[in-house]
Amino acid sequence: MLTKSEAYMVIDRLINWAGSLDLQVKISGREQGLTRFAGSEIHQNVSQENLVVELTAKEGKKRATVTTNRLSERELQEAVKEVRQKLEFAGEEELEIPFVKEPDDIESSQYDDKLLQKFDIAGRVKELKKGLSQLTADMEAAGSLSLHNNFLALGNTEGITRYARLVKADFNSVVEKEGQTGYAALTSDNFADFSIEKLFSRAAAKANQSEQPVNIEPKEYPVILEPLAVGGLLTYLSYLGFSARSLQKGVSFLTDRLGEQVFSDKISIYDDHKHNETFKLPFDMEGVPRQKLTIIEKGVARELAYDLKSARKDNCQSTGHSIGRPSMGGLPLHLVMESGESNREEMLASLDRGLLITRFHYLNVVNPRQAIFTGLTRDGTFLIEEGEVKAPVQDLRFTDSLLKAFSRVTAISTEREKVANFSGFSLVPSLLLEGLKFTGRKET
Amino acid sequence: MEKQVTDLIQYLKDQNVDYADVRYVKTESETIATEDLKVQELASEVDAGVGIRVIIDGAQGFAAVADLDKLKQTALKAIKIAESSAKIQKNRISLSSKKTVQDSYATPFDRDPFEVELQNKIELLQAAEEEMKAEAELFKTTGHLKFNNIQKVYADTEGSIIHQDLLESGGGIQAYAYQDDDMQIRSYPCGFGGNYARAGYEFIEELELVENSRKIAREAATLAEAEECPSGELDLLIDSSQMTLQIHESVGHPIELDRIFGAEAAYAGTSFLEPAMLGKYQYGSDIINIVADATTPRGLGTFGYDDEGVEAQKKDIISNGILRGFLTSRDTASSLGQSSGGAARADGWQNLPLIRMTNINLLPGDKSWEELLAGIDDGLYLKTNRSWSIDDKRLNFQFGCEIAYEIKKGQLTGKIYKNPVYAGITPEFWQKCDAIGEEELWELYGVPNCGKGQPGQSAHVGHGSAPTRFRQVEVGVGNAN
């Protein structure tokens, strides 16, 4: 793990070797420890440590990238030479994309040291042992507990520097009892959020409630989506449609719909790295300061995530959402869905007949422009009748347009949870939807 | 590198581990992407490091590091991890026996893609894009090439030392067209960014990207104006470009023995299969013959040895419709009293080997193209995967394709439909198979992005098949209106 000054020294050295070449240097360090269990015993217990240097050179509209984790002086000098050579042969891109020039420095070195202390190799095993010991003899658990201790540093020949420490932990577990399952998960950068025992209890309670599921007909039902289910859908919505690049490619469901009402006026979605419940990364993979985005405001599509290239194409400024892959453009990584005014009991009480869904499995896009997704319910799906949980149900497959489903939101919970997304976590509530169309039933 | 790897094995022996293996992996890759005739991405990468696995008193630990100055320190970390694992362990890990070898293997190839001028590769993609744009009014065109050169050195405390040099080449093109509120995409030679093989640049030349570009351009433009795929139960003729995904999701993943034992339960799920089904279970109709073949020429899942040093094998998985085998590693095979099937594969140096697909191939049948069509009175010919989802037991699936060609009275009518989606239950679906194309129609596709495990690992696997016919399949569920 390089400190800020160590990382900046490496950047300086590379930029010096580059001479007159326009160069951006990105260094990412990763130390990960993960303990995985199944059948209530550890079956994979692993650690990995890597340090990667990425060099991006540009000249006019030409651009080339070389990435290496071979970091001796000779090998780094070769990497600079290689990126220079590659640039010579590179064809021109559509637009010239300048490197970031300001501000001079951004640093985010704060992290929760307790995560590193409590979730080291011995700590993970200790926490899991405690959690697993409270399960009854007829239960088995599978899942993982991991610690991610990373940093990101960036600099370029315009003289800017960036450094951030990124430390988080992930936990997830399926608890199985007589063939029925429950699930709990948490991703956070704050140790105080973690009670592994409570998370195991939550998954166990779901498994207990899931005994003797009934089969119901696949058709449209009103649904309460718990935060894990909402987080899954939001991750895919974001990936598919919240970047300017996805509109430029014509694959976003927000194409030609900016400024229009696309969801219920109860739904507001932001990307906010300054929110105290999101992780701390104040700049993007091009060094651009991250801005807050109002993506959906009271159901109206407002702002999109831009990287430098997609912004240049739309003749505007980057919003600081590059993920380092120009083919994907900007992507919001700090998603926050506005909470509502209902508690769980009120949401349940308002349902005459419907389903309570813990999470979805294997979500995928069926039709991107209409935001039609498919996926299956999993690890805790319950029939609600007259405001009460009546029975667990066999899992169902939904296939529906989220433009349609999210336009019929009748309640949003006050409480929100951190749910893992593609690279960090989102902060999301539970939603009550008037209808979600189920098109198949899982066979057992 | 062999000396560093074998020295480390000796160091681990000195620490009194019961077993250890050490893998050095160095991957050099090159990516070229174009979009609308302009270069979109031009990148190369070198990634190298060492993964160390130890077993002590039946408990396993794994540690990996890129910094080769930290090898002993990392070895001690792997030992510490194994000792921690023992604290929550019910069953001792036991490895099935294998042959000890000192050997080497290299992917056969004619032309090293890293020696081909960068400019030639860019121009190839641009030429294909120009053809597409000349053929039809398109919203966007893209092209993509990717090459990997993977060097591996493996050694273990049982005495094996293995060198492997694996070369991968892949690429493809896409045409995008849209009208009103619908975007349609046609890809060649298949989805997932193209087709990939363990081969040299000759594979890219044989793809004939330029020669095939006009056809997909026309089809994309026509799809944008086409009718939605009809709903109902229809006979399907599924092209190899979609059978790849069908085999992958509904056979390849369910037969992974670690998944069957519950190792993936919290992530992508388990399997409907159980060990007791071996030799008895009717997986599909009696014309279904599927093998796991790590020796298929050019297969993206082809190698000399897996990442436990087990030699590449060809194993029966389904014979005449009956389940005959699983994908296994040394520890899982040991639970069944078998030797490993050689399917333990790791994503790079940094990950623990898991059971991964090799080349899971549906063997050819005996029907000509005309015979396959002739048997369909009212149906669809589906091509190129676009969307996929399957439940956590690998039973209920729903897959989408880029294009459906109408078949009436045994003939392609020339009419095409957009957004075809079909669904089924794995064994019921495979029972509906009544015809498989002959050897001349058999094609091999490489999938470079098979996800599994935590931390997530991406495997490179292959699937060979010919167009295959299925009776009365549920079609059209993706139309959510």
Side-chain angles (χ1 to χ4, degrees):
Chain A
M1 194 60 49
L2 299 185
T3 62
K4 176 184 162 178
S5 57
E6 288 168 339
Y8 285 3
M9 272 173 57
V10 175
I11 290 169
D12 277 350
R13 199 155 15 130
L14 285 158
I15 284 174
N16 279 336
W17 288 337
S20 59
L21 185 69
D22 283 346
L23 190 72
Q24 174 183 282
V25 181
K26 190 166 74 187
I27 308 175
S28 52
R30 172 190 175 100
E31 290 176 15
Q32 184 184 32
L34 183 143
T35 303
R36 205 170 183 215
F37 51 98
S40 295
E41 67 173 340
I42 291 174
H43 66 114
Q44 290 165 25
N45 202 0
V46 302
S47 126
Q48 57 175 258
E49 192 180 325
N50 199 3
L51 194 59
V52 177
V53 170
E54 180 191 285
L55 305 175
T56 302
K58 70 173 191 65
E59 183 185 317
K61 291 181 180 176
K62 294 203 288 189
R63 180 179 285 255
T65 299
V66 167
T67 305
T68 183
N69 71 348
R70 309 323 307 150
L71 305 180
S72 69
E73 185 158 318
R74 180 185 58 79
E75 287 163 318
L76 286 175
Q77 282 179 340
E78 275 175 15
V80 174
K81 191 174 155 193
E82 188 186 345
V83 79
R84 192 192 301 275
Q85 284 172 343
K86 223 171 191 48
L87 194 62
E88 272 181 46
F89 294 102
E92 287 198 339
E93 298 186 5
E94 186 183 1
L95 299 163
E96 182 177 354
I97 314 296
F99 288 145
V100 176
K101 294 180 179 169
E102 56 187 12
D104 289 345
D105 186 53
I106 304 176
E107 178 187 356
S108 171
S109 294
Q110 297 294 311
Y111 63 92
D112 188 348
D113 192 43
K114 271 196 182 159
L115 287 168
L116 301 185
Q117 293 169 26
K118 299 287 185 182
F119 290 147
D120 64 358
I121 299 165
R124 292 196 300 276
V125 171
K126 189 176 155 196
E127 288 289 337
L128 291 176
K129 197 164 187 172
K130 265 196 299 181
L132 289 166
S133 67
Q134 65 186 350
L135 301 180
T136 54
D138 53 359
M139 288 180 168
E140 285 203 330
S144 67
L145 176 58
S146 61
L147 173 68
H148 306 256
N149 180 14
N150 302 338
F151 81 90
L152 176 68
L154 189 143
N156 65 32
T157 40
E158 297 290 345
I160 64 126
T161 44
R162 309 282 185 259
Y163 182 84
R165 278 298 299 273
L166 304 161
V167 179
K168 65 166 186 169
D170 278 303
F171 171 81
N172 64 80
S173 180
V174 165
V175 172
E176 185 250 330
K177 181 183 176 185
E178 291 168 8
Q180 302 308 315
T181 54
Y183 184 78
L186 177 69
T187 300
S188 178
D189 57 357
N190 182 358
F191 177 73
D193 289 338
F194 283 93
S195 167
I196 301 300
E197 282 179 271
K198 275 188 188 165
L199 287 162
F200 269 118
S201 295
R202 190 168 166 179
K206 289 257 186 195
N208 271 326
Q209 288 167 7
S210 297
E211 283 182 84
Q212 296 183 321
V214 298
N215 263 319
I216 61 169
E217 186 192 350
K219 60 175 188 175
E220 184 173 293
Y221 291 95
V223 291
I224 294 172
L225 304 180
E226 291 194 344
L228 286 168
V230 175
L233 295 177
L234 185 60
T235 298
Y236 274 85
L237 280 173
S238 165
Y239 171 73
L240 183 67
F242 291 169
S243 76
R245 169 78 177 148
S246 64
L247 269 75
Q248 290 166 356
K249 283 169 75 178
V251 294
S252 170
F253 53 90
L254 295 183
T255 305
D256 301 329
R257 291 190 175 110
L258 280 183
E260 291 180 11
Q261 190 84 33
V262 292
F263 295 151
S264 156
D265 61 9
K266 290 186 170 59
I267 289 192
S268 291
I269 300 168
Y270 307 96
D271 183 73
D272 186 2
H273 76 279
K274 288 186 176 168
H275 192 290
N276 58 12
E277 296 288 313
T278 60
F279 74 100
K280 316 291 176 289
L281 181 56
F283 56 89
D284 73 1
M285 300 298 160
E286 293 171 324
V288 179
R290 207 170 280 278
Q291 291 173 27
K292 178 179 175 178
L293 294 178
T294 300
I295 300 166
I296 305 289
E297 184 180 40
K298 296 186 184 346
V300 177
R302 294 288 183 206
E303 295 176 317
L304 299 169
Y306 280 94
D307 66 349
L308 286 169
K309 192 169 190 172
S310 57
R312 184 90 168 82
K313 202 168 169 81
D314 279 1
N315 204 20
C316 62
Q317 299 293 312
S318 168
T319 57
H321 288 88
S322 165
I323 55 165
R325 294 181 60 189
S327 61
M328 290 189 64
L331 201 64
L333 301 180
H334 301 78
L335 287 167
V336 176
M337 188 180 278
E338 192 84 77
S339 56
E341 295 171 348
S342 303
N343 61 36
R344 180 187 164 89
E345 287 66 35
E346 288 166 343
M347 290 171 92
L348 280 172
S350 67
L351 263 188
D352 277 344
R353 191 161 196 270
L355 298 175
L356 174 70
I357 293 167
T358 300
R359 70 160 174 152
F360 290 116
H361 170 82
Y362 221 137
L363 287 164
N364 212 332
V365 186
V366 175
N367 183 321
R369 286 292 287 266
Q370 295 173 41
I372 297 174
F373 288 79
T374 191
L376 294 114
T377 64
R378 190 179 162 183
D379 302 326
T381 308
F382 303 97
L383 179 66
I384 311 294
E385 283 184 352
E386 295 170 354
E388 289 183 356
V389 174
K390 196 75 179 174
V393 297
Q394 288 287 5
D395 287 311
L396 297 165
R397 172 182 292 285
F398 84 92
T399 306
D400 207 348
S401 165
L402 293 190
L403 286 171
K404 194 173 81 181
F406 276 21
S407 293
R408 299 194 292 159
V409 176
T410 51
I412 299 180
S413 68
T414 49
E415 286 195 9
R416 291 183 290 190
E417 291 179 17
K418 293 171 181 171
V419 177
N421 58 29
F422 284 131
S423 66
F425 50 89
S426 306
L427 185 65
V428 292
S430 297
L431 297 179
L432 173 53
L433 309 182
E434 261 182 64
L436 189 67
K437 185 179 168 188
F438 294 89
T439 55
R441 195 160 43 200
K442 179 180 159 187
E443 305 291 320
T444 53
Chain B
M1 199 57 213
E2 181 178 321
K3 185 169 185 326
Q4 279 169 283
V5 169
T6 50
D7 283 354
L8 196 57
I9 286 291
Q10 186 55 51
Y11 179 75
L12 285 157
K13 281 182 178 172
D14 295 343
Q15 307 305 309
N16 294 317
V17 301
D18 296 327
Y19 169 84
D21 57 45
V22 174
R23 289 180 304 110
Y24 168 79
V25 183
K26 181 180 183 185
T27 304
E28 294 174 276
S29 60
E30 182 180 58
T31 305
I32 302 158
T34 58
E35 180 175 313
D36 290 335
L37 305 171
K38 299 289 183 186
V39 174
Q40 171 73 15
E41 187 180 355
L42 187 56
S44 62
E45 181 168 2
V46 179
D47 174 60
V50 169
I52 302 162
R53 176 170 73 149
V54 302
I55 297 176
I56 302 168
D57 289 335
Q60 181 174 257
F62 175 84
V65 69
D67 186 345
L68 302 183
D69 292 334
K70 289 186 177 175
L71 292 182
K72 285 187 179 172
Q73 188 182 323
T74 306
L76 294 177
K77 191 193 260 189
I79 290 170
K80 189 176 169 189
I81 291 172
E83 288 166 350
S84 287
S85 302
K87 292 177 181 164
I88 312 180
Q89 183 130 10
K90 298 182 204 164
N91 303 295
R92 291 170 63 93
I93 290 175
S94 162
L95 300 181
S96 57
S97 61
K98 64 159 186 172
K99 204 165 68 176
T100 298
V101 293
Q102 285 85 45
D103 201 2
S104 62
Y105 170 88
T107 302
F109 66 91
D110 294 336
R111 200 171 170 201
D112 184 348
F114 293 89
E115 297 293 320
V116 176
E117 292 251 349
L118 185 57
Q119 206 166 338
N120 292 350
K121 298 175 206 167
I122 294 169
E123 283 171 6
L124 171 69
L125 295 177
Q126 287 171 330
E129 284 199 74
E130 273 170 13
E131 291 289 314
M132 287 192 278
K133 287 184 183 298
E135 181 67 21
E137 194 168 331
L138 298 171
F139 174 70
K140 187 172 284 299
T141 57
T142 62
H144 182 90
L145 293 174
K146 173 117 189 178
F147 307 100
N148 295 313
N149 188 356
I150 306 161
Q151 182 195 342
K152 293 183 175 189
V153 181
Y154 169 93
D156 60 39
T157 49
E158 295 171 358
S160 286
I161 303 170
I162 299 163
H163 290 256
Q164 295 193 83
D165 287 299
L166 307 171
L167 183 64
E168 298 177 346
S169 299
I173 52 173
Q174 286 190 307
Y176 293 65
Y178 92 91
Q179 182 160 327
D180 301 327
D181 200 20
D182 197 22
M183 167 66 71
Q184 292 297 321
I185 300 170
R186 279 295 285 132
S187 309
Y188 174 81
C190 62
F192 317 113
N195 197 7
Y196 292 75
R198 288 208 156 146
Y201 197 74
E202 67 279 2
F203 176 74
I204 300 299
E205 292 169 324
E206 290 164 24
L207 287 177
E208 298 188 325
L209 295 177
V210 176
E211 292 79 355
N212 285 282
S213 54
R214 283 184 179 258
K215 185 179 180 204
I216 63 160
R218 274 197 308 277
E219 287 185 341
T222 311
L223 272 177
E225 298 174 352
E227 289 174 32
E228 284 282 343
C229 185
S231 298
E233 291 201 340
L234 292 171
D235 291 346
L236 297 183
L237 181 55
I238 302 182
D239 185 71
S240 311
S241 58
Q242 172 61 21
M243 283 304 296
T244 294
L245 190 279
Q246 184 69 52
I247 295 165
H248 184 91
E249 298 289 359
S250 70
V251 179
H253 280 305
I255 59 170
E256 295 162 346
L257 192 54
D258 56 348
R259 184 182 301 281
I260 292 166
F261 288 158
E264 298 293 321
Y267 189 52
T270 58
S271 171
F272 67 97
L273 298 175
E274 294 169 11
M277 292 173 169
L278 266 187
K280 296 178 230 163
Y281 183 68
Q282 189 80 40
Y283 208 113
S285 64
D286 59 10
I287 60 168
I288 304 289
N289 291 290
I290 292 180
V291 296
D293 185 359
T295 68
T296 309
R298 285 189 164 183
L300 198 61
T302 296
F303 45 77
Y305 293 86
D306 77 355
D307 289 323
E308 290 187 313
V310 175
E311 194 168 13
Q313 297 166 46
K314 179 177 179 179
K315 306 279 279 188
D316 288 337
I317 298 298
I318 299 171
S319 301
N320 301 322
I322 303 290
L323 177 68
R324 292 287 174 196
F326 296 126
L327 290 168
T328 58
S329 56
R330 291 186 72 189
D331 63 326
T332 54
S334 159
S335 308
L336 299 186
Q338 298 178 354
S339 56
S340 170
R345 304 177 67 197
D347 181 0
W349 53 271
Q350 54 272 71
N351 288 298
L352 182 71
L354 303 177
I355 293 178
R356 307 310 305 264
M357 291 172 229
T358 53
N359 303 295
I360 311 301
N361 301 332
L362 172 64
L363 299 182
D366 59 359
K367 295 286 185 285
S368 67
W369 173 248
E370 291 73 23
E371 287 170 327
L372 288 168
L373 279 176
I376 296 180
D377 191 46
D378 181 10
L380 299 168
Y381 171 48
L382 301 183
K383 220 170 168 180
T384 317
N385 181 254
R386 178 170 160 175
S387 166
W388 61 98
S389 174
I390 191 164
D391 75 30
D392 60 321
K393 295 271 186 195
R394 301 274 157 184
L395 281 167
N396 177 313
F397 66 82
Q398 181 170 307
F399 301 143
C401 298
E402 288 185 356
I403 188 165
Y405 304 82
E406 185 181 65
I407 304 169
K408 294 278 187 198
K409 295 190 171 66
Q411 300 283 329
L412 289 167
T413 65
K415 183 170 185 175
I416 61 172
Y417 294 103
K418 67 182 181 181
N419 303 328
V421 172
Y422 68 99
I425 302 296
T426 295
E428 291 171 15
F429 178 81
W430 284 102
Q431 285 284 359
K432 293 177 179 183
C433 176
D434 78 335
I436 302 173
E438 61 195 357
E439 194 153 5
E440 292 91 273
L441 301 172
W442 198 85
E443 289 183 288
L444 182 64
Y445 285 92
V447 177
N449 58 352
C450 170
K452 184 177 177 182
Q454 293 173 299
Q457 298 193 39
S458 181
H460 296 186
V461 307
H463 301 292
S465 64
T468 305
R469 195 169 67 200
F470 296 87
R471 296 296 187 187
Q472 296 298 289
V473 179
E474 185 187 3
V475 177
V477 284
N479 186 358
N481 298 315

